Amino acid sequence: MLTPTTAAPVAHADDSIASSTPVRGGRRAATFRPSTRSAARCSSCAMRQLCMPQGLSPDELTKLETLICSARSVQRGEALYRSGDRFDSIYAVRSGSMKTVMAHRDGREQVTGLRLAGEALGLDGISEDLHACSALALEDSTVCIVPYTALKSLCREIGSMQDRLHKLLGEQIVREAAQMMVLGSLSADERVAAFLLDVSERNAQRGYSSAEFNLRMTREDMGSYLGMTLETVSRTLSRFQKRGLIDIQGKHIRIVDLDGLRHL
């Protein structure tokens, strides 16, 4: 939601989705390095067009930057918050990437989302004042902390902030509805293609390569997110490679035939 990041690209060597590596020509690839700063400045944020309202006055921008009291580092595999934790803040991914996970009654876990730089976390806690899911870092990441009570006060003062919060909630509803369609009506090939296209489009929104990225979410997590087994995910990716749709080299994926993926 309100996330500054001016981090320079850096690669990670793990079998996961999704940030990108440098490519030859074209756009720079999407990779992220956690910042060591403890304060956040929206005015110098590379992702401000994605997460904050446009057209704020200097005074309003100062109030917004004052609200975001700190930035927290989250190491790979560490939880930012867990299901059942008290809700008091919304978080914005400043660098890196996170996954959200919900637990079944029998203890099984379901990956419910992938959050990249410029995207909000923690909105699930608004309804019951408790987090309904857990958020875990897929790589070393940083998040901006936005206290919710203070944010509501600022929204009453600045109408565009209220509008932005409503849009964030609406975007989450739309994304979850789209995910229900993926799980309920698409074949395995269509699910994997939809996921790769989604990552591609989100990279493009950030000014990064839409064709090449490292895998940050593991294939097992990807299967959980798409309602597939690890084996089915691996077979599907291998089949895509044989058909010339993508090229996989270890943790790195390159989309060779974007239109081919779209027409699956």
Side-chain angles (χ1 to χ4, degrees):
M1 176 188 145
L2 310 167
T3 176
T5 176
T6 55
V10 63
H12 239 288
D14 63 309
D15 182 17
S16 50
I17 288 178
S19 70
S20 303
T21 52
V23 296
R24 294 179 296 274
R27 293 179 173 180
R28 58 196 175 103
T31 48
F32 310 104
R33 175 183 303 156
S35 170
T36 58
R37 293 184 299 172
S38 60
R41 292 189 59 83
C42 297
S43 56
S44 58
C45 171
M47 297 293 154
R48 60 186 177 274
Q49 77 280 2
L50 295 175
C51 60
M52 61 183 291
Q54 303 303 303
L56 292 178
S57 68
D59 180 60
E60 291 172 336
L61 183 57
T62 298
K63 291 178 180 178
L64 176 59
E65 292 181 334
T66 301
L67 173 67
I68 305 175
C69 55
S70 63
R72 171 183 166 185
S73 296
V74 190
Q75 300 304 307
R76 178 186 172 190
E78 181 185 352
L80 174 62
Y81 55 81
R82 293 196 178 275
S83 176
D85 285 353
R86 176 184 171 185
F87 167 76
D88 52 24
S89 296
I90 292 174
Y91 304 91
V93 182
R94 178 177 174 184
S95 65
S97 54
M98 311 281 292
K99 67 177 179 180
T100 54
V101 177
M102 293 192 74
H104 295 274
R105 292 180 179 178
D106 61 6
R108 288 179 298 164
E109 292 187 336
Q110 175 82 36
V111 176
T112 59
L114 168 68
R115 298 289 182 265
L116 305 180
E119 296 179 343
L121 282 163
L123 297 172
D124 59 287
I126 292 176
S127 62
E128 299 291 337
D129 293 323
L130 297 172
H131 286 290
C133 65
S134 303
L136 301 110
L138 291 169
E139 56 188 308
D140 291 349
S141 305
T142 54
V143 297
C144 294
I145 302 171
V146 186
Y148 185 60
T149 299
L151 176 62
K152 288 192 295 183
S153 296
L154 188 62
C155 285
R156 287 191 290 268
E157 185 177 344
I158 304 175
S160 59
M161 287 297 303
Q162 181 76 75
D163 292 342
R164 185 62 188 128
L165 181 59
H166 288 163
K167 286 183 180 295
L168 285 172
L169 293 168
E171 288 167 5
Q172 183 155 315
I173 292 170
V174 170
R175 180 170 291 276
E176 290 177 355
Q179 184 64 11
M180 288 178 63
M181 185 188 72
V182 168
L183 295 176
S185 61
L186 301 188
S187 67
D189 282 9
E190 290 171 330
R191 293 182 194 189
V192 174
F195 179 81
L196 295 176
L197 290 170
D198 179 57
V199 173
S200 170
E201 291 167 4
R202 289 158 77 182
N203 279 343
Q205 290 175 347
R206 287 154 178 77
Y208 299 123
S209 171
S210 62
E212 296 192 43
F213 41 84
N214 281 334
L215 305 180
R216 289 291 182 228
M217 186 184 284
T218 66
R219 292 182 186 180
E220 184 175 8
D221 282 343
M222 184 177 168
S224 176
Y225 183 54
L226 297 175
M228 301 163 59
T229 64
L230 168 62
E231 293 75 14
T232 301
V233 170
S234 297
R235 286 197 300 267
T236 303
L237 290 172
S238 295
R239 186 160 57 249
F240 283 4
Q241 178 154 305
K242 290 178 181 178
R243 293 174 59 179
L245 298 174
I246 62 175
D247 179 61
I248 302 175
Q249 300 293 331
K251 288 79 180 173
H252 179 264
I253 187 166
R254 180 170 64 92
I255 297 178
V256 178
D257 186 354
L258 194 61
D259 288 336
L261 282 180
R262 288 173 176 156
H263 288 92
L264 283 175

